[in-house]
Amino acid sequence: MQPLDYINLLSGLMLLLYGISQVSANMQIIAGARLRTYLSTLTRNRLTGIITGTFATALLQSSSATTVITVTLVGSGLISFTASLGVLLGANIGTTLTVQLISFSLQDYALFMTGVGAGIRFFGKKDRTIYFGRLILGFGLIFLGMKFMGASVDPLRHNAQFLSYFVEGGVSKIFLVLGAFLFTAMVQASAATIALTLSFAASGLIDFHSAMYIVVGSNIGTGVTALLASFGSNLQARKTALANIIFNTLGALAIIPFLPYIHANFFTEGDIARNIANFHTLFNIALTIVFFPLIGLVAAMIDRLIKPRKVTTAPAEYFLDRSLQSSPDLAIQEARKLTINMTGMCREMLTSSFALIDRYEIDRSWKIQNMDDRLDAMNLDIRLYLTSLSHLEMNPAESNLLFDTINYATTLEYVGDVLVKNVIKLSRKLNREKIRLSEEGYRELQELEAMTLENFDLCHQLYLTSQRSLHVQLQDNHQKVRKKENQLMQSHIQRLQQGLQASVATTTVHTDLVANLERINSHLCRFEPLTMVDDKAAEEA
């Protein structure tokens, strides 16, 4: 082989890997969120888990993607550990459909597929059309890469030393298994390893017997992706990733001694590429059949091997699972769960701050300030967590949801800041100067407080549902608050004109409290989701 042949081989491999990543990424954008919903709901028993895992992987064109999604769903508590094992077995079957497709001799149509995909990508108007174009483009690049790799290694067909080493059994079979394992773990796609094997086999550089060992090794290597995804996640997610490795490793160890017999009795004739794809499919089906009745036993064994550590320190108040950041929709939902905690904390701050106006307590004041510090920290964590997703492909709905989550968390922080920096200081001033609001003034302030709490709850419901009617109601309430503010100011001025001593003594505090409550309402009523739906659509969702 000349230096240019090595360059073409590497370039073809890069095209293959990029094509596989494009197919998987765009399928996840098109159907990923819906597939995650199906995965979390259709895994109630082992059989449906296997079927769901098979179809999910067939759509995503990547068993690694399915296993990573499964691990993250287990980590989020949406799928139980035992139920996830069926999905993993199904994913192994699903990925064989990708290899079956690649095994057909479609390299001559690679440029046509690439051109069609690129045309749809550039001329498509709708997002879904553009993603579909990228999907076809990805398949075209897969076959184009295989074509370049096959052409680049063609000179090796005339290399007697190479042929005697790889084709005539000179290379160790254990080396082939380990090499396939390491390569698959590195590129994180078993389909890429087998596609490379198909190219070499079609060129006569690898015989079927050697290819069988490569298929077995790639099956083990595909579990490394899920194992890496489980780092930083909880115990159940790590168990799921380990189970995937155990299934594939035990299956490989069980079948390796029988590979010569299988070759001699079942795959003696036919196209070598189709034989490799068929062996890959049959191996994973057999693996599923063997382990299907043993899922409970394997789960119990892993439970015994991996036990939860004894917690010696207090658990963290909140936790954003970093392993979910490879899946934008799951990461966004993780952040939204934290905003629910922020909502409860902020509402407690509101009611406690209102109580301080009537009766100041130093302990309650410090508690509110500590809660505000935690609120600020949560908001910063959410902002950093979600902005780290900016390099990932997201559909418009996910992008809007990400923005709304950051916007809502920031709104809660603003409310907390107004309470701590202004309302608490004003209540402390009342206590320090030994003065109290007039009874009429305090009663009017309570009416504004009730309106503020109502708008707080409306803002939260708007964030959760994006209902247009709630936004309209919030805007109407904001106008009512502003009118109420003017009425309270006029009432206060009338009491001053009457010479009411309590109003005279607390005039600056009273007017500042009214102004700050209106400011809180402004923050709440300015919140507006990027995409809003009608009430009927929200109920159906």
Side-chain angles (χ1 to χ4, degrees):
M1 287 178 64
Q2 300 298 316
L4 184 60
D5 292 324
Y6 289 105
I7 293 173
N8 288 339
L9 176 62
L10 182 61
S11 300
L13 178 61
M14 293 301 105
L15 280 177
L16 173 70
L17 294 175
Y18 182 69
I20 290 175
S21 70
Q22 281 296 298
V23 169
S24 180
N26 285 283
M27 278 307 304
Q28 287 191 61
I29 293 173
I30 293 170
R34 189 170 296 175
L35 276 176
R36 289 181 178 90
T37 302
Y38 291 151
L39 280 172
S40 62
T41 55
L42 299 179
T43 54
R44 302 306 179 195
N45 60 64
R46 300 169 188 176
L47 183 59
T48 56
I50 290 173
I51 295 171
T52 305
T54 300
F55 279 102
T57 305
L59 284 174
L60 294 179
Q61 296 292 305
S62 171
S63 61
S64 295
T66 303
T67 51
V68 167
I69 291 170
T70 304
V71 166
T72 53
L73 289 173
V74 172
S76 300
L78 298 176
I79 300 180
S80 69
F81 164 56
T82 304
S84 71
L85 302 188
V87 179
L88 299 181
L89 291 173
N92 286 336
I93 298 175
T95 194
T96 67
L97 300 178
T98 306
V99 175
Q100 288 286 351
L101 180 62
I102 294 174
S103 69
F104 289 102
S105 300
L106 298 176
Q107 286 88 333
D108 292 339
Y109 304 98
L111 193 58
F112 171 74
M113 293 172 68
T114 304
V116 170
I120 296 174
R121 161 66 181 84
F122 284 111
F123 296 108
K125 300 298 182 183
K126 296 182 178 179
D127 291 325
R128 203 171 187 83
T129 305
I130 292 172
Y131 297 141
F132 184 69
R134 289 178 179 176
L135 182 66
I136 297 176
L137 176 62
F139 275 116
L141 292 176
I142 289 173
F143 291 114
L144 197 62
M146 292 180 65
K147 186 174 183 178
F148 284 151
M149 287 189 296
S152 65
V153 298
D154 191 62
L156 290 176
R157 297 174 63 182
H158 309 291
N159 188 317
Q161 184 179 0
F162 182 90
L163 292 177
S164 65
Y165 192 63
F166 277 95
V167 179
E168 298 173 11
V171 64
S172 168
K173 305 308 179 187
I174 299 301
F175 172 78
L176 290 175
V177 173
L178 290 176
F181 164 75
L182 293 173
F183 183 79
T184 304
M186 182 176 65
V187 300
Q188 298 189 1
S190 60
T193 305
I194 300 176
L196 185 62
T197 305
L198 292 174
S199 294
F200 282 14
S203 300
L205 302 182
I206 294 178
D207 65 351
F208 176 72
H209 189 61
S210 297
M212 294 171 75
Y213 289 90
I214 294 175
V215 168
V216 171
S218 69
N219 241 45
I220 305 173
T222 193
V224 173
T225 306
L227 195 63
L228 294 174
S230 70
F231 292 159
S233 191
N234 62 22
L235 182 68
Q236 298 302 314
R238 294 197 298 274
K239 285 181 181 179
T240 301
L242 179 61
N244 192 41
I245 291 284
I246 289 175
F247 280 145
N248 293 340
T249 303
L250 290 179
L253 293 175
I255 201 172
I256 284 176
F258 299 99
L259 290 181
Y261 174 81
I262 294 171
H263 180 204
N265 290 275
F266 298 101
F267 294 98
T268 56
E269 298 178 353
D271 179 67
I272 187 171
R274 298 293 307 128
N275 282 343
I276 292 172
N278 291 336
F279 168 72
H280 184 228
T281 300
L282 293 173
F283 169 51
N284 282 288
I285 291 175
L287 190 72
T288 301
I289 292 173
V290 170
F291 280 109
F292 176 70
L294 302 176
I295 285 178
L297 183 63
V298 172
M301 181 184 71
I302 294 175
D303 283 333
R304 283 178 171 271
L305 287 174
I306 305 179
K307 296 181 179 179
R309 296 178 181 177
K310 293 182 179 180
V311 180
T312 55
T313 57
E317 181 183 10
Y318 62 90
F319 172 72
L320 287 171
D321 193 341
R322 306 292 166 182
S323 69
L324 301 179
Q325 289 177 296
S326 61
S327 302
D329 59 324
L330 289 177
I332 293 168
Q333 292 304 320
E334 179 78 355
R336 285 174 74 86
K337 284 195 294 186
L338 185 53
T339 60
I340 304 303
N341 293 343
M342 291 179 67
T343 301
M345 189 178 296
C346 190
R347 199 180 196 286
E348 184 181 346
M349 290 173 64
L350 269 172
T351 55
S352 296
S353 298
F354 295 159
L356 287 179
I357 297 172
D358 182 49
R359 182 182 177 185
Y360 184 80
E361 297 176 4
I362 186 66
D363 291 340
R364 177 176 284 181
S365 174
W366 279 111
K367 181 182 178 181
I368 295 171
Q369 293 182 63
N370 288 334
M371 291 171 73
D372 182 59
D373 291 339
R374 284 145 56 196
L375 207 65
D376 292 346
M378 288 179 178
N379 181 47
L380 179 61
D381 275 2
I382 288 173
R383 187 180 292 270
L384 295 176
Y385 184 77
L386 292 181
T387 52
S388 69
L389 307 178
S390 58
H391 67 287
L392 298 176
E393 290 253 20
M394 284 182 278
N395 58 44
E398 290 171 342
S399 298
N400 291 345
L401 203 58
L402 184 148
F403 176 82
D404 291 344
T405 304
I406 293 176
N407 189 15
Y408 180 72
T410 304
T411 297
L412 295 179
E413 184 190 2
Y414 286 159
V415 171
D417 288 343
V418 174
L419 292 173
V420 170
K421 294 177 181 178
N422 299 307
V423 176
I424 289 181
K425 285 185 177 180
L426 291 169
S427 61
R428 188 181 301 124
K429 183 177 181 180
L430 288 172
N431 180 66
R432 186 177 59 250
E433 297 182 3
K434 308 296 184 186
I435 53 178
R436 291 178 62 85
L437 300 173
S438 66
E439 290 184 9
E440 187 178 350
Y442 181 66
R443 186 171 58 254
E444 291 175 347
L445 205 61
Q446 283 181 312
E447 294 174 5
L448 188 56
E449 290 169 0
M451 297 176 73
T452 304
L453 286 173
E454 180 186 353
N455 287 336
F456 182 90
D457 294 337
L458 272 176
C459 180
H460 179 55
Q461 287 302 313
L462 176 61
Y463 168 65
L464 294 178
T465 65
S466 298
Q467 286 182 246
R468 196 182 309 277
S469 62
L470 293 178
H471 180 256
V472 173
Q473 187 177 350
L474 204 56
Q475 299 308 303
D476 291 341
N477 283 4
H478 190 206
Q479 296 304 316
K480 293 177 182 177
V481 167
R482 298 185 71 173
K483 289 180 180 178
K484 188 68 174 179
E485 179 190 16
N486 291 332
Q487 291 173 5
L488 296 188
M489 289 298 187
Q490 291 174 5
S491 297
H492 181 68
I493 291 172
Q494 289 175 1
R495 289 192 293 273
L496 291 176
Q497 291 173 342
Q498 295 169 2
L500 191 63
Q501 188 60 36
S503 296
V504 173
T506 60
T507 181
T508 56
V509 175
H510 183 93
T511 53
D512 284 349
L513 282 172
V514 171
N516 278 288
L517 288 179
E518 194 283 328
R519 188 178 171 192
I520 289 172
N521 278 278
S522 293
H523 286 309
L524 294 170
C525 297
R526 273 204 301 265
F527 175 73
E528 180 180 355
L530 286 180
T531 304
M532 285 186 284
V533 297
D534 295 327
D535 291 0
K536 185 177 180 181
E539 290 172 3
E540 291 175 353

